[in-house]
Amino acid sequence: MTQGGRRRWWWTGPDGPGESLRVQVLILLGVLALPTLLVLLVVIPALMETRFRQIEREQVAQYSQIAREDLITEEERVSLFTLNFSQWTSTFDFSVGRNPGFEADAFGMSTFMGGRVDYAGVTAPDGRIVTALRRDGSQVLPAGPTVRALLAQLPSPLPGEGAQGIVLVGARPYLMAARPITRDDGSGRGGVMLFARLLSQTALGQLMHSSGTFTAQLAQLPAEGQSALTFRPREVIGISALEAPVGPPQLGLQLTIPRAVHLAGQDTLWQLRGVILLVTLTALLAFMLFLNRRVLRVLTRYVADTQRIARDPTHRLESSNRTELGVLARTINDLLDHLQGREAQLRERVLRDELTGAYSRAGLAELLQEDASVRSALLIEVPRLQELSGLYGNAFVDRLIRTPIEWAAKPIQSERSEWERGGFRTWSRQSGEVPDCWRNKRNPYDPGTRGPSRE
């Protein structure tokens, strides 16, 4: 704090700014440029990153919906295939134990291949498994434990519209569909008809219409509180739950989507950052170059000129600049010329009498001091001017003053160097020779000392 309670900043001195104009301009540019660069290089990219992530979330939701619809379409197909078998009277008779040859006729390799299923099972009305088969390459083999585990995933009792969904049995995912067995006319209630398809990665890939935009696989659902969406540097992973025949979902459909939009956005952001930084630096350098050449350099020259004027009053500022600075320089030069003229007028008034033009006492003293060629001088003194002016008027006094000056200005004869007229004594001023009058220089009217005069 300064005296008087005024705050003095670190860049100012006790008499004003203590730093150069260049430093203050740099500080100002820094104050203005830093927030701008912060907004352009940090805030805007962060907003764009947030928007890119929002786009990716929407993209994951869209792709997940497409993949789920592909699985639902497959579930509906398997369910319709199961419904077809469950409404045969022959199937009903087989489930109640009256058609022993039905297994060989209905569950051949063509059934598994045509229906694109891997497991088949039939139960009796009391829940006992009548048949349980699976396709293994080109063979049809028994699959009692797997079919029993699949049947355990169904609701009990099985509703009339059946049940379908995706379950996890023995760490392997299955798409299954089950229907109640009836006669052709829909009468009766036999056991349960079951078909299931093993959802291997190959089978799942055949179901997806991804066209290379994403990769699908079945995975465990994330624990409670964990996000179903994971952003990695080059890919985003989203998991959506898949419905089971009964109870909560057991598996999720995991999609891995390349972050093409994000990567393209990052490349664009880095290019944008580079362009912004380059443009900002170029603009700052151009501004500083312009300021230095068109303003600061001119002001520096004006400072040097003003310092020279303090030593040489006849020097003037360089005023060829056609900008406002040139106008300022010309104005200052005109002001200096005016002040110099006024100073000359005032000096003339001090050194010479305004009425007669003769030297005043101060002017005569300065002349004798500066001009060594002056050998003699005449000092005329008219006493009681105010009294005379009051008695006879200003015109008389002015004439009284001018008359001896005009008389003294006339040439003096060379043969006479001292003489009297009208009560005034004169002392000749002769350049280059010793004066003939030897009167006292301090008092020319003192007759006490008189040198020889030529007659």
Side-chain angles (χ1 to χ4, degrees):
M1 296 292 290
T2 61
Q3 295 180 354
R6 295 179 57 188
R7 176 180 289 274
R8 189 177 73 199
W9 300 101
W10 62 269
W11 63 80
T12 61
D15 299 325
E19 297 289 345
S20 68
L21 187 59
R22 287 185 176 86
V23 175
Q24 296 185 38
V25 170
L26 288 175
I27 294 174
L28 178 60
L29 290 179
V31 171
L32 295 177
L34 287 180
T36 303
L37 290 176
L38 181 65
V39 171
L40 294 177
L41 299 180
V42 178
V43 177
I44 292 180
L47 293 176
M48 295 180 67
E49 174 74 14
T50 302
R51 180 54 184 160
F52 286 146
R53 290 208 171 195
Q54 181 63 32
I55 293 174
E56 288 177 328
R57 288 189 178 93
E58 296 173 357
Q59 189 179 47
V60 170
Q62 293 174 357
Y63 289 161
S64 297
Q65 183 65 27
I66 293 173
R68 285 168 55 84
E69 289 177 354
D70 291 337
L71 284 177
I72 291 173
T73 300
E74 181 65 11
E75 288 179 5
E76 293 294 338
R77 187 194 67 80
V78 175
S79 179
L80 292 175
F81 185 72
T82 305
L83 177 63
N84 180 46
F85 273 83
S86 66
Q87 291 181 342
W88 292 352
T89 301
S90 57
T91 306
F92 180 84
D93 292 341
F94 178 71
S95 67
V96 295
R98 291 196 297 263
N99 189 5
F102 178 79
E103 179 179 338
D105 296 337
F107 298 109
M109 182 58 66
S110 60
T111 300
F112 288 96
M113 295 293 293
R116 295 197 300 277
V117 293
D118 298 302
Y119 292 84
V122 177
T123 66
D126 58 2
R128 177 178 49 86
I129 296 178
V130 178
T131 184
L133 303 172
R134 66 181 178 91
R135 179 177 65 115
D136 185 7
S138 59
Q139 298 179 349
V140 177
L141 302 175
T146 303
V147 171
R148 183 175 294 106
L150 291 172
L151 291 171
Q153 301 291 330
L154 298 173
S156 182
L158 184 66
E161 67 275 9
Q164 61 192 39
I166 297 176
V167 296
L168 184 65
V169 174
R172 302 177 72 184
Y174 295 88
L175 186 152
M176 60 177 295
R179 291 278 184 169
I181 299 175
T182 63
R183 296 185 179 92
D184 294 344
D185 57 4
S187 62
R189 178 67 184 252
V192 175
M193 183 72 218
L194 169 72
F195 281 108
R197 181 176 183 178
L198 177 63
L199 288 178
S200 63
Q201 190 60 41
T202 301
L204 188 62
Q206 293 172 353
L207 297 177
M208 299 292 106
H209 295 82
S210 62
S211 300
T213 56
F214 60 85
T215 302
Q217 66 184 45
L218 298 176
Q220 296 286 342
L221 292 172
E224 185 177 358
Q226 293 183 353
S227 175
L229 200 60
T230 303
F231 291 93
R232 292 181 178 177
R234 305 191 66 84
E235 60 189 15
V236 58
I237 299 175
I239 300 178
S240 58
L242 299 174
E243 293 185 2
V246 65
Q250 302 178 21
L251 290 172
L253 179 61
Q254 176 178 299
L255 298 184
T256 302
I257 304 172
R259 303 187 69 180
V261 175
H262 176 268
L263 295 176
Q266 287 294 322
D267 293 340
T268 303
L269 286 177
W270 282 111
Q271 295 174 4
L272 180 62
R273 288 187 178 101
V275 170
I276 290 174
L277 190 59
L278 180 62
V279 170
T280 303
L281 292 178
T282 302
L284 291 177
L285 290 176
F287 177 76
M288 288 302 301
L289 181 62
F290 170 81
L291 186 67
N292 185 65
R293 296 188 61 180
R294 304 292 295 178
V295 179
L296 298 179
R297 186 177 296 178
V298 177
L299 292 178
T300 302
R301 187 165 60 247
Y302 286 175
V303 171
D305 287 340
T306 53
Q307 292 174 348
R308 181 176 175 182
I309 289 173
R311 300 186 300 270
D312 180 11
T314 61
H315 184 71
R316 292 295 180 263
L317 299 178
E318 197 280 322
S319 59
S320 62
N321 194 306
R322 292 181 293 177
T323 65
E324 289 80 356
L325 294 175
V327 175
L328 175 63
R330 289 189 288 273
T331 303
I332 293 176
N333 289 339
D334 293 342
L335 178 61
L336 290 174
D337 293 338
H338 177 73
L339 292 177
Q340 191 171 15
R342 294 293 296 172
E343 182 184 7
Q345 292 179 1
L346 294 175
R347 179 177 178 84
E348 185 69 16
R349 290 182 180 181
V350 171
L351 298 180
R352 289 181 178 271
D353 181 70
E354 186 177 0
L355 177 63
T356 63
Y359 281 104
S360 65
R361 187 183 299 272
L364 185 60
E366 183 174 336
L367 177 65
L368 293 175
Q369 183 179 0
E370 294 180 354
D371 192 350
S373 65
V374 177
R375 300 299 179 88
S376 61
L378 174 63
L379 181 64
I380 300 176
E381 182 178 0
V382 181
R384 304 194 303 274
L385 285 178
Q386 293 183 353
E387 181 179 350
L388 293 175
S389 177
L391 292 175
Y392 302 105
N394 293 332
F396 174 79
V397 173
D398 292 343
R399 187 169 63 254
L400 178 64
I401 295 175
R402 283 197 299 267
T403 299
I405 298 301
E406 293 172 355
W407 165 77
K410 294 179 180 180
I412 299 176
Q413 299 177 3
S414 59
E415 67 273 6
R416 188 180 180 92
S417 59
E418 181 181 5
W419 43 279
E420 296 183 3
R421 181 181 297 175
F424 291 95
R425 293 177 180 271
T426 64
W427 189 20
S428 64
R429 177 183 183 275
Q430 300 173 359
S431 175
E433 59 184 58
V434 178
D436 294 354
C437 179
W438 294 93
R439 290 193 180 276
N440 190 338
K441 289 185 180 181
R442 297 191 175 203
N443 187 1
Y445 297 101
D446 183 7
T449 304
R450 181 182 179 93
S453 61
R454 293 178 298 175
E455 295 294 338

